[in-house]
Amino acid sequence: CIHSSIVCSIDSFGAEEVRLYDRHINDTHLRECLQSLLKRYDQLESADSANNRPLFESIYLIYNLGSNDALLRYGTLPLRLQRHGLVRKSYRLALNYDKRLYYQCIQTLTAIKPPILALLASTKLPKLFHMAIKTMSFAYHSPNTKFPVSTVSQWLCPFESNAQTAEEYIEKLCQSYGLVVVNGSVGFNKTKFAETPQLFANQKWSSFEFKLKELSLPSLLRGRHELSYCEE
């Protein structure tokens, strides 16, 4: 149920499936399933009783980026789980998000290996982009300063192997927030930054698309490919 809900959160379906998809209902089901599962984990006598627990503790952390409850839960986990590579990396991502270290968030995101977890993290990119562009609009606010789009794309799109694709996306992204882009440079301006961006087509990133191509839908839904990552 949890794997299928995460897969449904990723816009990789045909037009008919997207039309029938209700994100609010899907998110509600995912949240309820996760909470029910974590309660059962807490009732176990030993943290070693469930081999896939590190994966689902990590899913909870990333799904709830910005939630104090998720960060506090990490502190209550058995020490062995806190030290688990996958859980620790997910916690670091959540902590960086809480500290508004968006560049570090994106760098950590790209290092997450389990496909279902990486794909879940990718759904947080629009929010990360929004906060990063807003921060730069205030930090680099100047009527005479121009910032290279190529540099911004390297910071925000390290998961895209095609530099031109990344730069074109960042240019459109900045323009959607009301910022001016001229000759490959963006003028960050806090007074022109628009909280609500103009909509444009979602970008499919090469590294995440590669992860999807490696997997079959049945294996993705069942989560069998994730078990090896829980042994870190």
Side-chain angles (χ1 to χ4, degrees), residues 42-177:
D42 291 338
Q43 295 168 355
L44 295 175
E45 294 182 2
S46 170
D48 297 327
S49 302
N51 293 333
N52 58 358
R53 184 174 179 180
L55 174 65
F56 288 103
E57 293 288 356
S58 299
I59 286 175
Y60 181 74
L61 278 164
I62 293 179
Y63 179 71
N64 292 286
L65 287 182
S67 166
N68 287 331
D69 290 340
L71 291 173
L72 290 173
R73 177 176 175 79
Y74 175 83
T76 68
L77 295 177
L79 191 58
R80 177 180 174 277
L81 274 172
Q82 290 186 26
R83 291 176 175 175
H84 189 280
L86 186 58
V87 179
R88 190 171 64 249
K89 189 176 296 182
S90 300
Y91 174 71
R92 188 181 305 120
L93 172 59
L95 193 60
N96 284 335
Y97 186 94
D98 188 64
K99 293 180 178 180
R100 300 183 180 183
L101 301 175
Y102 307 127
Y103 172 78
Q104 287 87 337
C105 278
I106 293 173
Q107 295 300 314
T108 303
L109 184 153
T110 60
I112 294 177
K113 293 182 180 180
I116 198 72
L117 202 57
L119 293 172
L120 172 62
S122 73
T123 65
K124 305 296 182 179
L125 283 173
K127 181 65 174 178
L128 284 169
F129 288 156
H130 170 86
M131 295 186 295
I133 295 295
K134 181 177 181 179
T135 298
M136 285 187 282
S137 294
F138 279 75
Y140 301 120
H141 170 78
S142 173
N144 300 317
T145 300
K146 303 297 180 183
F147 211 94
V149 170
S150 58
T151 300
V152 181
S153 68
Q154 290 172 13
W155 288 353
L156 301 186
C157 308
F159 34 77
E160 177 53 58
S161 58
N162 188 314
Q164 183 177 350
T165 297
E167 290 175 21
E168 289 175 352
Y169 175 81
I170 291 299
E171 182 172 331
K172 291 179 182 177
L173 181 66
C174 289
Q175 290 172 335
S176 75
Y177 282 108

